[in-house]
C-alpha cells in the first residue's frame, strides 16, 4: 500500500505532518522509540532514547560528542498510541531564543491505526510563542517535512 504525507494547519499555525505506515500501531510506535531507527529517519548518526516518561529522546547529527544534537530532549508522555517529547533544538544550527527553556516547545506523535496501517500525526507545538517565531516555524516546517518523509520510507 502506498503511503502519503499531507500538511494541515492547526489552531496555533504549527505545521502538522501526517505519515502513514503500512504496519500495526505497536510496530509504528517502535519506529518512534528504537534508537537506531530514530537516528535513521532524523538523518542522524545516533540517538539516545530511553523509552519511558522522563527518559531521554536525543538525536545526534555528529558521530562524536554532543555538538549538533537535541541533547536535553525528554519524553513527557508515553502511551500505546501517543508520545510527547519536550523538544530542545540543536544549538549548533537551530538555536531560537526561548527554546532553551524546558517545555517551551513540545513534539507530539499521535498514532491511529486501522489494523494493518497506522497514521502518525506529528505536531510541533509552542513555536509560535518563542522569539523569532516565524523563522523558527519556517525552519521546523522544513525539517519536519524532511523527517516525516524519511519516516515514511522506513
Amino acid at each position: 500500500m502506498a503511503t502519503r504525507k499531507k500538511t494541515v494547519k492547526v489552531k496555533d499555525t504549527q505545521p502538522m505532518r501526517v505519515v502513514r505506515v503500512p504496519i500495526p500501531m505497536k510496530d509504528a510506535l517502535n519506529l518512534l522509540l528504537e534508537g537506531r531507527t530514530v537516528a535513521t529517519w532524523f538523518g542522524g548518526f545516533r540517538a539516545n532514547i530511553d523509552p519511558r516518561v522522563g527518559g531521554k529522546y536525543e538525536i545526534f547529527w555528529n558521530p562524536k560528542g554532543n555538538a549538533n544534537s537535541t541533547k536535553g530532549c525528554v519524553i513527557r508522555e508515553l502511551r500505546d498510541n501517543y508520545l510527547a517529547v519536550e523538544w530542545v533544538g540543536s544549538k549548533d544550527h537551530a538555536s531560537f531564543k526561548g527554546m532553551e527553556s524546558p517545555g517551551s516547545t513540545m513534539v507530539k506523535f499521535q498514532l491511529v491505526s486501522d489494523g494493518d496501517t497506522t497514521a502518525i500525526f506529528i505536531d510541533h507545538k509552542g513555536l509560535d510563542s518563542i522569539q523569532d517565531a516565524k523563522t523558527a516555524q519556517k525552519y521546523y516546517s522544513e525539517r519536519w517535512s524532511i523527517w516525516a518523509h524519511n519516516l515514511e520510507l522506513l
Side-chain angles (χ1 to χ4, degrees):
M1 172 178 262
T3 58
R4 279 187 282 167
K5 173 184 61 184
K6 63 181 179 178
T7 300
V8 295
K9 295 289 183 180
V10 293
K11 252 198 270 187
D12 64 0
T13 71
Q14 302 301 314
M16 179 185 283
R17 303 287 177 209
V18 181
V19 175
R20 288 178 175 75
V21 291
I23 56 178
M25 188 181 309
K26 180 180 178 189
D27 296 333
L29 184 62
N30 285 335
L31 293 177
L32 306 176
L33 295 174
E34 198 282 319
R36 278 191 218 129
T37 306
V38 171
T40 297
W41 64 267
F42 270 104
F45 281 95
R46 63 187 169 91
N48 183 13
I49 310 295
D50 181 5
R52 62 180 177 83
V53 173
K56 295 178 181 181
Y57 200 90
E58 302 171 333
I59 299 101
F60 299 86
W61 284 275
N62 286 341
K64 295 181 181 177
N66 296 331
N68 197 12
S69 72
T70 62
K71 185 158 180 62
C73 285
V74 175
I75 295 172
R76 290 297 173 211
E77 290 184 60
L78 179 59
R79 298 189 300 268
D80 290 344
N81 66 340
Y82 185 79
L83 169 66
V85 176
E86 185 176 277
W87 191 259
V88 177
S90 169
K91 292 170 184 63
D92 297 315
H93 70 270
S95 181
F96 298 102
K97 188 120 175 101
M99 284 188 72
E100 68 278 358
S101 302
S104 58
T105 70
M106 190 80 63
V107 177
K108 299 178 178 187
F109 301 88
Q110 177 72 49
L111 289 76
V112 178
S113 180
D114 68 2
D116 295 332
T117 301
T118 303
I120 304 171
F121 295 83
I122 305 168
D123 198 2
H124 194 157
K125 296 289 210 177
L127 292 172
D128 59 335
S129 61
I130 64 171
Q131 286 185 358
D132 202 10
K134 287 187 182 201
T135 303
Q137 287 171 331
K138 182 178 188 292
Y139 175 84
Y140 279 105
S141 179
E142 291 168 358
R143 291 296 165 266
W144 282 110
S145 182
I146 293 165
W147 296 331
H149 175 73
N150 292 346
L151 182 56
E152 282 183 317
L153 297 176
L154 293 178

